[in-house]
């Protein structure tokens, strides 16, 4: 029978998702809960597992298409005696609900989100599948990867027109047919993006490194030694020359490979993170009356403290930086200025003051700006805050931040100093009363004990909602944060009503 799988609700009420990449093609045999596609929502990239064990009958969308939640995604041919995910898990009729399954960890700080359609059944008469929240489904019965149906051996001769390129649509530079393994190459999203940008086919790279996960080094090595079209007569290329073909002596960055040389404009669809960020920024800018105040200060004592912590063997494995100390100073200062940890509820006509700090940390990723949240940050000590920031950043860079991890923030920090910027006027996240921009630490001549000396100096920029926060409150908060950065020992003077350690 044919079972149709519809795009499930990926969380947070997101109405649609873009197909980033198919991991299967028509004719592939898959097992229960094996990854069949990667989709991008307005907040994250999510892996979609198969809700059936069977054969892929048809794909209802191509890579790059935007699919609405509840729309058909893929069809499976399953045997007459095949059971639905619920029946496989519980051993009961297919109508019984499946059990919750924990997320499956993957390499590094990334997380693999399990998406399943609980309403799909494999009974004699198929029913319409109701989209369900990501994270629910049957327990996987196998840890193997999707297998391609054998075609006369363990390998097959592939070229650019085979289903492998449809399943993993990376641009390829080739001279002819190549014997390649039929399993989808193992790699991470950043590596796959790099390969696509460089015009490298991961399937070809994986053939040179059997049994290994394809890394950035593998892709760059392959791109460096791959000849160009001009060097090999008759060679076929599927893309324009990549950045690696531009002579290194050129002082200018090469033109984008996907842009014709005579193009005067480039049109890019507004979708994904950019669409979500734009909507949030417009809502914030035209709802909350923004005001910004600045303070430049000497943070030499903080940088000296960080230098001493780096030599402490007890802290091996922990990367404590300026941002972690700023985060702790913010949590302490919010306790004395609760107006900056509040929300304006226009509908209810109320000001909601939070007695906890869910701290958002703005992260610039290849997909755009995201602001994942550290819940109950005010209960964490310096080491735990530093670890949470590092994990949060790694997950964001990998594009694996879950939608739920980017909601519920009460105050945010953006570290513009990593870009060499001293100050700015950051826009509030909707629903928050304040956001603090941390500038670059610069060695600057500064008055110190009545003399001019070279000191470590940075600038703090605080934007706040003037409906909730008066100028005096904003100044007091900024002074409290600065006090801790000038003299880290002053953190001991702040009360910690919710407990937690300073380290």
């Amino acid at each position: 029978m044919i079972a149709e799988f519809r795009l499930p609700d990926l969380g947070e009420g997101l109405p649609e998702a873009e197909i980033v990449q198919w991991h299967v093609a028509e004719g592939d045999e898959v097992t229960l809960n094996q990854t069949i596609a990667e989709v991008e929502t307005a907040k994250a990239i999510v892996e979609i597992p198969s809700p059936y064990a069977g054969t892929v009958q048809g794909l209802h969308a191509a890579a790059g298409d935007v699919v609405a939640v509840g729309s058909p995604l893929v069809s499976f041919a399953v045997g007459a005696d095949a059971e639905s995910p619920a029946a496989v898990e519980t051993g009961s009729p297919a109508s019984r609900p499946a059990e919750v399954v924990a997320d499956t960890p993957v390499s590094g700080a990334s997380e693999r989100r399990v998406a399943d359609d609980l309403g799909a059944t494999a009974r004699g008469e198929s029913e319409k599948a109701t989209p369900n929240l990501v994270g629910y489904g049957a327990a996987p019965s196998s840890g193997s990867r999707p297998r391609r149906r054998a075609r006369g051996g363990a390998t097959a001769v592939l070229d650019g027109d085979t289903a492998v390129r449809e399943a993993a649509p990376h641009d390829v530079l080739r001279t002819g047919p190549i014997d390649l393994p039929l399993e989808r190459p193992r790699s991470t999203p950043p590596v796959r993006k790099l390969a696509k940008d460089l015009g490298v086919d991961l399937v070809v790279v994986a053939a040179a490194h059997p049994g290994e996960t394809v890394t950035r080094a593998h892709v760059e090595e392959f791109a460096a030694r791959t000849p160009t079209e001009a060097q090999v007569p008759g060679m076929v290329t599927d893309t324009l020359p990549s950045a690696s073909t531009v002579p290194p002596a050129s002082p200018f960055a090469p033109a984008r490979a996907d842009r014709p040389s005579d193009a005067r404009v480039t049109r890019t669809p507004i979708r994904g993170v950019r669409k979500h960020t734009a909507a949030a920024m417009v809502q914030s800018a035209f709802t909350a009356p923004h005001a910004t105040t600045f303070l430049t200060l000497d943070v030499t004592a903080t940088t000296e403290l960080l230098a001493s912590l780096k030599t402490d063997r007890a802290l091996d494995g922990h990367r404590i930086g300026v941002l972690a100390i700023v985060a702790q100073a913010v949590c302490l200062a919010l306790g004395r200025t609760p107006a900056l940890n509040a929300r304006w509820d226009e509908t209810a006509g109320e000001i909601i003051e939070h007695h906890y700090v869910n701290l958002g940390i703005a992260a610039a990723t290849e997909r755009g700006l995201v602001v994942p949240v550290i819940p109950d940050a005010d209960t964490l000590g310096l080491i735990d805050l530093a670890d949470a920031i590092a994990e949060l950043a790694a997950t964001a860079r990998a594009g694996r931040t879950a939608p739920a991890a980017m909601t519920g923030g009460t105050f945010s920090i953006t570290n513009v100093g990593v870009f060499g910027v001293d100050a700015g006027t950051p826009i509030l996240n909707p629903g928050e009363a304040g956001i603090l921009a941390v500038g670059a630490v610069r060695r600057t001549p500064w008055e110190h004990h009545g003399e001019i000396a070279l000191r470590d100096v940075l600038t703090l920029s605080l934007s706040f909602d003037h409906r909730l926060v008066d100028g005096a409150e904003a100044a007091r908060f900024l002074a409290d944060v600065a006090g801790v950065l000038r003299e880290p020992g002053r953190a001991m003077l702040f009360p910690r009503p919710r407990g937690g350690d300073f380290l």
Side-chain angles (χ1 to χ4, degrees), residues 58-288:
L59 306 179
H60 298 292
D65 288 352
V66 176
V67 180
V69 169
S71 297
L73 190 64
V74 59
S75 296
F76 298 92
V78 296
D81 57 346
E83 296 177 296
S84 71
V88 172
E89 167 65 20
T90 63
S92 61
S95 59
R96 288 179 55 179
E99 296 181 5
V100 176
V101 174
D103 293 342
T104 304
V106 295
S107 60
S110 302
E111 293 183 354
R112 178 178 175 181
R113 305 294 297 175
V114 179
D116 223 340
D117 189 348
L118 303 181
T121 66
R123 295 177 298 199
E125 182 178 351
S126 61
E127 302 173 3
K128 275 192 174 181
T130 302
N132 289 277
L133 189 65
V134 148
Y136 296 88
S141 57
S142 169
S144 62
R145 305 177 67 82
R147 304 188 310 276
R148 179 169 298 283
R149 185 181 283 173
R151 293 178 175 87
T155 61
V157 177
L158 306 180
D159 60 25
D161 296 327
T162 62
V164 170
R165 281 180 48 79
E166 297 174 6
H170 299 294
D171 296 326
V172 61
L173 205 61
R174 59 188 183 279
T175 57
I178 305 173
D179 286 339
L180 299 176
L182 293 176
E183 184 182 80
R184 181 179 68 88
R186 291 174 292 174
S187 63
T188 61
V191 172
R192 288 195 288 272
K193 184 179 187 304
L194 174 66
K196 186 172 183 179
D197 292 343
L198 296 180
V200 172
D201 191 342
L202 284 182
V203 178
V204 181
V205 179
H209 302 277
E212 298 182 30
T213 298
V214 178
T215 65
R216 176 180 291 269
H218 292 154
V219 173
E220 291 174 341
E221 176 189 8
F222 186 87
R225 61 184 173 83
T226 301
T228 64
E229 184 177 6
Q231 294 171 321
V232 181
M235 178 176 287
V236 178
T237 60
D238 292 329
T239 63
L240 295 174
S242 66
S244 61
T245 65
V246 177
S250 172
F252 304 102
R256 283 177 46 181
D258 59 348
R259 185 171 64 204
S261 58
D262 59 346
R264 292 175 64 86
V265 298
T266 298
R267 293 181 178 272
T268 303
I270 302 172
R271 58 178 56 162
V273 170
R274 177 57 56 195
K275 182 177 181 179
H276 175 77
T277 301
M281 294 300 97
V282 169
Q283 176 190 349
S284 176
F286 291 97
T287 301

Side-chain angles (χ1 to χ4, degrees), residues 439-477:
V441 177
R442 300 191 184 279
R443 197 72 171 161
T444 304
W446 197 260
E447 188 276 328
H448 180 64
H449 296 318
E451 298 180 353
I452 300 298
L454 283 177
R455 307 288 290 176
D456 292 331
V457 174
L458 67 72
T459 298
L460 299 175
S461 309
L462 174 68
S463 289
F464 55 94
D465 185 341
H466 224 324
R467 296 175 301 179
L468 290 159
V469 184
D470 296 331
E473 293 174 303
R476 182 166 60 248
F477 169 83

